[in-house]
Amino acid sequence: MSSSTVGSGAGQLETRGIEPVPEAECNGHPLQLFWVWFAANISILGLPLGATLVAFRGLSIWQVLLVAILGSVGSFAVVGLISVAGRRGRAPSLTLSRAIFGVRGNIGPTLVSMLSRVGWETVNTTTAAFVLLSLSSILFQTPASAKDAPLLTLLFIGIFVLMTLSVSGLGHATLLVIQKWATYGFGALNVLVGGFLCATIDWTAVFNAAPAPVSAMIIGVGTMAAGTGIGWASSGADMSRYQHRSVTAGRLVASAAFGAGIPLVLLITLGGLLSVGNDHLASAVDPIIAIRDMLPTWMAVPYLIAAFGGLLLSNNLSVYSAGLTALTLGLKVKRVYAVLVDIVAIFLGSIYFMLIADSFYGPFISFISLLAVPITAWVGIFVVDLIHRHYYSADDLLNVGPSSAYWYQGGIEWRAFGAWVLAIILGFCFTSIGTTAEDVWFTGPLADSWLGHNGLGWIVTFLVAGGGYALLGGARDRRGAFVENANA
């Protein structure tokens, strides 16, 4: 729910919610999206992804480079495909999803996306607060432990969420500007830190490393895709709905694939270089501290600032999307208040995990990793639907009653919903989730198969969801508008 008056410039409040954007206000261009995706993936936390390829998969550095390109660029090409739906339908991703799953059937995918968004935002916020605690301990000799400095911890959580709110709350135009210009500053710091990290690389071991089997590369591609683009897929249309009609699908795909791919390929490759002959980074419980320990003491300050900036840029985009997802879920407030609700949730969650809970990263990340299975199933169905659907009815996207063209049968499109549920069940069959090898929460009956053992159950989920939906014939609303108005 929102007003029809929309702030069109940076610094102005965007008051549009999930209702489709009028064509007269759609003047965006792909370079804007390039910077949005670049900024969201510039975090130095990309280094541990590359470290796992060498330490746990045994890949040579040339294989790491190829896997990084295929996994990150390829998965963000999928994000770009979903951006095409935003240009066609002018609404956020999960709102457009109502046309596929039905206005009630869409509640399932939307709720999963919302839980995942809030979960990862809580991870970002707690990690950023730990970064500030570490920075403060260096500059002002304050305690580095959250429980030893509770008031300082509250302050640092508050600083991070308020900085996020100042960008995500104002909305789309402000987000575009901040993500672009902040990339220059934090990007320069990342380059500086990366240069010093290169000094720790054992180049002789790098060039003498034997290549791993092709099967290990295939597993690596899946791991990189699952850890990068797949998690951002539901934000694709959120950012592209203001794009000009003349923008081609290819340019939208390229803006996401290369915008995110360039920093990710560089960071993943550097992480692989750092891990040749040294698995410390890949196995570290706290990668922030592990990376800091590789640097000279005087480099710790710019490194921590760079780490904080990367987390903030990622959180800006995530919280903006979460606000739109909350509105799609049925929250009856203006967009800025939906963002505020999300901010309050991650603020309280961060307080709990930093000051009350005995542990955080292992159990919590395991929980939100479980959500990757239903999200991947949604992506498979959405992409297959996009191949045929060129038109979304603006009025019916917002109509959640029986008169909506997207009501289908009892508010559910059973072909899409059925394929989604089936893919989730099969995906979990190949999945094993736990905090450690000893503390396993869930093990599917096929988790010990080659696919399951190597963490590729999400590929099964994607193929079953998309393939099942295609075989069932796809969704057709009451007006048969599956391929209606192909030029819209």
Side-chain angles (χ1 to χ4, degrees):
M1 185 173 83
S2 69
S3 155
S4 59
T5 304
V6 179
S8 57
Q12 294 179 287
L13 180 65
E14 179 193 19
T15 56
R16 171 165 289 108
I18 61 173
E19 63 272 24
V21 182
E23 285 294 328
E25 297 177 22
C26 297
N27 299 308
H29 54 84
L31 187 58
Q32 294 172 326
L33 299 183
F34 172 90
W35 288 115
V36 165
W37 294 119
F38 197 107
N41 291 278
I42 203 173
S43 171
I44 209 161
L45 293 179
L47 295 176
L49 283 174
T52 61
L53 294 176
V54 172
F56 300 149
R57 300 300 175 191
L59 271 60
S60 70
I61 197 58
W62 309 114
Q63 290 177 314
V64 169
L65 178 60
L66 181 59
V67 164
I69 292 171
L70 294 175
S72 59
V73 176
S75 63
F76 268 97
V78 175
V79 178
L81 281 174
I82 293 176
S83 298
V84 175
R87 190 212 60 197
R88 290 177 182 173
R90 303 300 183 195
S93 304
L94 272 305
T95 306
L96 296 174
S97 182
R98 287 174 173 173
I100 305 170
F101 289 87
V103 295
R104 285 183 173 173
N106 190 54
I107 292 173
T110 305
L111 181 60
V112 168
S113 179
M114 188 68 198
L115 289 173
S116 180
R117 278 272 160 261
V118 173
W120 285 115
E121 288 155 15
T122 304
V123 171
N124 283 346
T125 303
T126 53
T127 305
F130 280 125
V131 167
L132 290 181
L133 282 169
S134 183
L135 185 60
S136 178
S137 70
I138 294 172
L139 296 177
F140 309 110
Q141 288 72 55
T142 56
S145 168
K147 292 184 179 179
D148 289 338
L151 293 180
L152 199 58
T153 300
L154 288 172
L155 174 63
F156 289 154
I157 294 173
I159 288 172
F160 187 77
V161 298
L162 286 175
M163 291 179 73
T164 302
L165 178 62
S166 65
V167 176
S168 303
L170 285 174
H172 185 270
T174 301
L175 188 67
L176 293 180
V177 173
I178 295 297
Q179 298 293 92
K180 175 182 177 180
W181 293 105
T183 298
Y184 294 143
F186 291 120
L189 284 174
N190 274 276
V191 170
L192 177 65
V193 172
F196 276 88
L197 287 172
C198 284
T200 69
I201 295 170
D202 184 347
W203 292 102
T204 301
V206 167
F207 291 114
N208 290 335
V214 174
S215 60
M217 293 182 65
I218 295 172
I219 295 165
V221 170
T223 302
M224 292 305 101
T228 57
I230 296 300
W232 282 109
S234 62
S235 296
D238 299 359
M239 298 309 303
S240 65
R241 59 199 176 117
Y242 284 95
Q243 291 287 294
H244 194 275
R245 177 171 293 277
S246 65
V247 175
T248 64
R251 293 174 71 192
L252 288 174
V253 172
S255 66
F258 293 109
I262 291 172
L264 283 172
V265 168
L266 292 174
L267 290 165
I268 290 169
T269 303
L270 178 56
L273 287 168
L274 293 170
S275 293
V276 175
N278 179 8
D279 66 356
H280 179 60
L281 178 57
S283 59
V285 175
D286 187 344
I288 290 280
I289 299 301
I291 297 169
R292 190 187 72 180
D293 290 344
M294 297 179 184
L295 295 164
T297 303
W298 65 271
M299 272 296 296
V301 171
Y303 159 67
L304 291 170
I305 293 173
F308 179 84
L311 292 164
L312 181 62
L313 294 176
S314 177
N315 225 44
N316 287 343
L317 180 57
S318 183
V319 170
Y320 176 75
S321 288
L324 298 173
T325 303
L327 294 179
T328 302
L329 200 55
L331 190 63
K332 302 296 184 182
V333 296
K334 293 183 177 180
R335 186 200 62 83
V336 68
Y337 298 136
V339 169
L340 185 59
V341 169
D342 183 57
I343 287 289
V344 170
I346 62 177
F347 181 77
L348 295 176
S350 299
I351 291 173
Y352 173 78
F353 287 116
M354 293 188 75
L355 297 178
I356 301 173
D358 292 328
S359 61
F360 164 58
Y361 284 107
F364 197 55
I365 291 178
S366 294
F367 166 69
I368 51 184
S369 294
L370 280 172
L371 301 180
V373 173
I375 289 173
T376 303
W378 175 85
V379 172
I381 293 168
F382 196 100
V383 169
V384 168
D385 186 83
L386 182 66
I387 296 172
H388 303 282
R389 188 183 301 275
H390 296 269
Y391 172 75
Y392 297 86
S393 169
D395 291 338
D396 292 304
L397 285 174
L398 300 180
N399 181 358
V400 295
S403 61
S404 172
Y406 303 133
W407 182 256
Y408 301 110
Q409 293 180 308
I412 301 174
E413 210 323 310
W414 289 101
R415 282 169 288 197
F417 192 79
W420 185 63
V421 172
L422 176 62
I424 292 171
I425 294 172
L426 290 177
F428 279 133
C429 286
F430 289 89
T431 301
S432 179
I433 295 291
T435 57
T436 65
E438 293 75 29
D439 182 24
V440 178
W441 295 2
F442 170 81
T443 301
L446 300 175
D448 288 331
S449 65
W450 184 83
L451 287 170
H453 181 71
N454 291 294
L456 297 179
W458 70 272
I459 293 181
V460 175
T461 305
F462 183 88
L463 294 176
V464 169
Y469 180 65
L471 289 174
L472 290 171
R476 295 178 185 272
D477 64 35
R478 291 173 175 176
R479 297 164 192 155
F482 190 70
V483 292
E484 180 185 333
N485 197 3
N487 295 320

